[in-house]
Amino acid sequence: MTITTGLQLSSLITAEGELRLSLDDVAIPAPRADQVVVRIEASPLNPSDLGLLLGPADLSTIKAGGSADRPTVTASVAPAILPSLQARLGEAMAVGNEGAGVVVDAGDDAKHLIGRTVALLGGSMYSQYRVMKASDALVLPEGTTAAQGASCFVNPLTALAMVETMRAEGHTALVHTAAASNLGQMLNRICIADGVPLVNIVRSEAQAKILTDIGAKYVVDSTTPDFRTKLIDALMETGATLAFDAVGGGPLAGQIIAAMEVAATRKMTDYSRYGSTTHKQVYIYGVLDLRPTEIGRNTGMAWGIGGFLLTYFLMKAGPEVGQRMRARVAAELTTTFASHYTSEISLAEALQPEIIAAYAKKATGEKFLINPSKGL
Amino acid sequence: MTITTGLQLSSLITAEGELRLSLDDVAIPAPRADQVVVRIEASPLNPSDLGLLLGPADLSTIKAGGSADRPTVTASVAPAILPSLQARLGEAMAVGNEGAGVVVDAGDDAKHLIGRTVALLGGSMYSQYRVMKASDALVLPEGTTAAQGASCFVNPLTALAMVETMRAEGHTALVHTAAASNLGQMLNRICIADGVPLVNIVRSEAQAKILTDIGAKYVVDSTTPDFRTKLIDALMETGATLAFDAVGGGPLAGQIIAAMEVAATRKMTDYSRYGSTTHKQVYIYGVLDLRPTEIGRNTGMAWGIGGFLLTYFLMKAGPEVGQRMRARVAAELTTTFASHYTSEISLAEALQPEIIAAYAKKATGEKFLINPSKGL
């Protein structure tokens, strides 16, 4: 089958501060000898995709336009934010970090892959077709669906990177926030399998239940009055001194470090005005809360906080570690690394204002999957 | 000369929340074969000493008591803070991290040191006499006064540790806040000698002048309206991606990281919604501002912030690095590492409420030296 054009979702922010989402026909080049053409059938809407897709647009200003099969959406971006977006202004950005689909065409060296379902990482996945090097495609076991393989990279590798980081930096247990997310559930399965104590911080009883149902031992709810006490107890018991935080802004990261410090000083016998010598670390990998991160003066002196990005981790860890992590994902794709989606939408549906409002909420327990082959 | 007792300043916080400072007679043991008895003649009041001396007491409640030669001081500590002080409640804490004085007695193996002026690190320096192992005393060159040798450790080693950390973590230039302090002046002299670009952040014109007078090239005043622009310019020029911050609380640390990120993204050609890949780091080593530290959402993902303590640095760096740093301090004690004091006070004066109010301000450019041999 020779494919010559396909639809691609693109996100543009103009110099005047208007976000424009559209579906554009793009040319699909004939594959080179080592390339495959993949018909994308499943690509998740991860928080990291939303950042590029919607940028910092004010969603209360959203307006639909275009036609039924070529819809467009516009929304305003506050002028004060535009300077920080300088490098993307006026550029149509393709979106979608990862996805999966079926190989429909291939160059001479990759013909054997035609018909196979593969998983891809590399951007522009909210597209009908994607041309990539065959060696960059993760060939999924026979019988695996595109939906099952859609989230092979971002969440599974991030969850594994947390455990890798824990070991590399000398910690023996973990704390995770927004812990009932797809990623959080994966992390629980990894930690249970690997015997790593994991303290899950959630924001509702319903989220706590999701985790206890899959066997989580330590679940604390930050909306209850005894949150601090319960957190300290769990930290005393697990000895966790490393947290991965998806909330980012507000007081939570500081509260976690302070609670770790209380747990550490309770184990000390001598007073030191510098607090415990135990190093306490939080890595922020998400920003569900856009306020500034606040760190109080109750951390002792041995603490750190910083940004965490899978890409930077993989660069630092090196190819061997990355390869080991990918192999585990492929082997445990439908068990440890299974993702669950609450809605499957087409490219056109992804540009409907009410659907945008739903996925932009990033509600824990809700997860959207784009199927670029749907409804076309 | 055989010394049997001496005065020692002590700081006690009661379980009921009262800070009590007093001068107590303590027994001075006869030196063992490898020990020296040092008559302390100079010991600085560093911010790190004030934390132990005054704790978190409310200085508006301060009351003087006792007699002229055995004065006492009391002040209240807020009940909410007491749990964090659990380990020191009811314990009389001796104060004074470092100091210098004359060897007045010694054990059999150290008799040759009698009469020499030595510098000491190890606590309890706000005392008339201190017994220590001879090998722990830094013997100062003949002609060095105790006042010249009083600050051989905390500030000089901290300033050197900043440059060591810069090299160890792969940075090539530095930012320093509260930069006109004694420590900040030392850091300027080190950086000028070593060719390390240093961006000094100060809070007044007078402080800026102190630094330009000693040859500082980059000085920015955080109280001026063009602070952000000037800081970004200095960061562009120096390439500094590591800051040591003595302010701690409030927005400053976050502003420095954000300015580093602007400087880094200006050098980028492609847009990334994750910002620059340049790692930007701030270490907080002081807390002149007790508010929470605030980090905004304008840092990119490659950033870190954490506590910095000389002791932890030395433990991590190992004895060879520590030895090299000490040797440099001894060699450059009256040049690079010269400290300046604005007041020399006795132990009794250190307990006068109006003098406490003066040194508790930690005003840049004001520095107090305690001379435990004065007025006794």
Side-chain angles (χ1 to χ4, degrees), chain B residues 240-280:
Chain B
T241 46
L242 174 63
F244 284 89
D245 175 31
V247 176
L252 184 60
Q255 287 166 347
I256 294 169
I257 298 181
M260 288 174 175
E261 175 66 4
V262 172
T265 49
R266 280 199 192 151
K267 295 174 186 172
M268 288 169 70
T269 48
D270 291 338
Y271 173 73
S272 161
R273 64 166 295 266
Y274 300 113
S276 79
T277 57
T278 306
H279 185 80
K280 304 157 297 284

Side-chain angles (χ1 to χ4, degrees), chain A residues 56-242:
Chain A
D58 176 358
L59 296 184
S60 71
T61 64
I62 206 160
K63 274 188 231 131
S67 61
D69 62 341
R70 293 290 186 278
T72 60
V73 164
T74 57
S76 310
V77 177
I81 305 173
L82 290 175
S84 70
L85 302 170
Q86 194 59 44
R88 69 166 287 186
L89 293 184
E91 302 275 342
M93 315 291 289
V95 192
N97 280 316
E98 63 182 337
V102 175
V103 177
V104 291
D105 194 6
D108 285 343
D109 302 345
K111 294 280 185 209
H112 60 287
L113 291 177
I114 291 178
R116 292 300 298 264
T117 300
V118 295
L120 305 174
L121 178 70
S124 311
M125 296 298 163
Y126 300 164
S127 302
Q128 278 183 280
Y129 298 99
R130 193 74 170 76
V131 181
M132 286 190 80
K133 275 177 75 170
S135 57
D136 287 342
L138 181 64
V139 181
L140 298 174
E142 295 281 1
T144 312
T145 66
Q148 285 174 325
S151 296
C152 271
F153 301 98
V154 179
N155 279 346
L157 295 180
T158 302
L160 285 174
M162 293 175 181
V163 180
E164 293 283 342
T165 300
M166 179 197 80
R167 293 193 181 111
E169 299 188 4
H171 304 270
T172 55
L174 282 172
V175 177
H176 187 226
T177 72
S181 63
N182 258 315
L183 193 158
Q185 294 176 44
M186 278 180 201
L187 185 60
N188 272 280
R189 291 190 289 262
I190 295 168
C191 286
I192 290 168
D194 293 9
V196 173
L198 170 64
V199 179
N200 295 278
I201 299 178
V202 297
R203 286 162 298 170
S204 73
E205 243 179 87
Q207 291 170 359
K209 188 172 181 318
I210 292 174
L211 294 177
T212 47
D213 282 355
I214 62 168
K217 184 169 173 194
Y218 304 98
V219 184
V220 289
D221 182 342
S222 61
T223 64
T224 61
D226 61 354
F227 168 55
R228 183 174 171 274
T229 315
K230 285 270 168 61
L231 178 58
I232 293 169
D233 288 348
L235 295 172
M236 292 284 289
E237 209 167 315
T238 57
T241 47
L242 175 63

Side-chain angles (χ1 to χ4, degrees), chain A:
Chain A
M1 180 160 82
T2 304
I3 310 291
T4 55
T5 63
L7 281 183
Q8 183 177 72
L9 193 159
S10 85
S11 168
L12 170 76
I13 295 177
T14 67
E16 293 72 35
E18 186 175 75
L19 169 74
R20 293 183 191 165
L21 305 184
S22 58
L23 295 185
D24 304 318
D25 285 291
V26 296
I28 308 297
R32 291 195 306 261
D34 62 346
Q35 287 183 321
V36 289
V37 180
V38 180
R39 183 181 67 230
I40 306 294
E41 297 179 353
S43 177
L45 265 157
N46 287 321
S48 49
D49 298 309
L50 290 175
L52 184 60
L53 180 66
L54 303 175
D58 176 358
L59 296 184
S60 71
T61 64
I62 206 160
K63 274 188 231 131
S67 61
D69 62 341
R70 293 290 186 278
T72 60
V73 164
T74 57
S76 310
V77 177
I81 305 173
L82 290 175
S84 70
L85 302 170
Q86 194 59 44
R88 69 166 287 186
L89 293 184
E91 302 275 342
M93 315 291 289
V95 192
N97 280 316
E98 63 182 337
V102 175
V103 177
V104 291
D105 194 6
D108 285 343
D109 302 345
K111 294 280 185 209
H112 60 287
L113 291 177
I114 291 178
R116 292 300 298 264
T117 300
V118 295
L120 305 174
L121 178 70
S124 311
M125 296 298 163
Y126 300 164
S127 302
Q128 278 183 280
Y129 298 99
R130 193 74 170 76
V131 181
M132 286 190 80
K133 275 177 75 170
S135 57
D136 287 342
L138 181 64
V139 181
L140 298 174
E142 295 281 1
T144 312
T145 66
Q148 285 174 325
S151 296
C152 271
F153 301 98
V154 179
N155 279 346
L157 295 180
T158 302
L160 285 174
M162 293 175 181
V163 180
E164 293 283 342
T165 300
M166 179 197 80
R167 293 193 181 111
E169 299 188 4
H171 304 270
T172 55
L174 282 172
V175 177
H176 187 226
T177 72
S181 63
N182 258 315
L183 193 158
Q185 294 176 44
M186 278 180 201
L187 185 60
N188 272 280
R189 291 190 289 262
I190 295 168
C191 286
I192 290 168
D194 293 9
V196 173
L198 170 64
V199 179
N200 295 278
I201 299 178
V202 297
R203 286 162 298 170
S204 73
E205 243 179 87
Q207 291 170 359
K209 188 172 181 318
I210 292 174
L211 294 177
T212 47
D213 282 355
I214 62 168
K217 184 169 173 194
Y218 304 98
V219 184
V220 289
D221 182 342
S222 61
T223 64
T224 61
D226 61 354
F227 168 55
R228 183 174 171 274
T229 315
K230 285 270 168 61
L231 178 58
I232 293 169
D233 288 348
L235 295 172
M236 292 284 289
E237 209 167 315
T238 57
T241 47
L242 175 63
F244 284 89
D245 176 32
V247 176
L252 184 61
Q255 287 167 346
I256 293 169
I257 298 180
M260 288 174 175
E261 175 66 5
V262 172
T265 48
R266 280 199 191 152
K267 295 174 185 170
M268 290 169 69
T269 47
D270 290 338
Y271 173 73
S272 162
R273 66 165 294 266
Y274 299 113
S276 80
T277 57
T278 306
H279 184 80
K280 304 157 297 284
Q281 181 71 39
V282 174
Y283 287 115
I284 294 177
Y285 76 96
V287 283
L288 296 175
D289 186 330
L290 292 168
R291 291 176 297 168
T293 308
E294 278 180 27
I295 315 295
R297 300 272 72 82
N298 48 3
T299 57
M301 291 299 283
W303 63 277
I305 182 163
F308 184 86
L309 194 65
L310 176 62
T311 322
Y312 301 166
F313 168 84
L314 290 172
M315 286 191 299
K316 203 173 148 190
E320 259 178 65
V321 172
Q323 194 42 49
R324 174 159 50 75
M325 289 162 61
R326 274 164 204 258
R328 181 164 177 185
V329 175
E332 304 173 21
L333 187 57
T334 56
T335 53
T336 312
F337 301 105
S339 287
H340 301 285
Y341 306 95
T342 47
S343 309
E344 184 183 289
I345 58 177
S346 68
L347 284 174
E349 285 166 338
L351 297 201
Q352 288 179 16
E354 66 278 15
I355 293 179
I356 293 176
Y359 62 66
K361 272 195 300 190
K362 304 179 205 173
T364 302
E366 278 187 33
K367 184 96 186 176
F368 285 76
L369 188 68
I370 292 184
N371 178 351
S373 301
K374 183 184 169 193
L376 290 170

Side-chain angles (χ1 to χ4, degrees), chain A residues 291 293 295 297 303 305 307, chain B residues 48 291 293 295 297 303 305 307:
Chain A
R291 291 176 297 168
T293 308
I295 315 295
R297 300 272 72 82
W303 63 277
I305 182 163
Chain B
S48 49
R291 291 176 296 168
T293 307
I295 314 295
R297 301 271 74 81
W303 63 277
I305 183 164

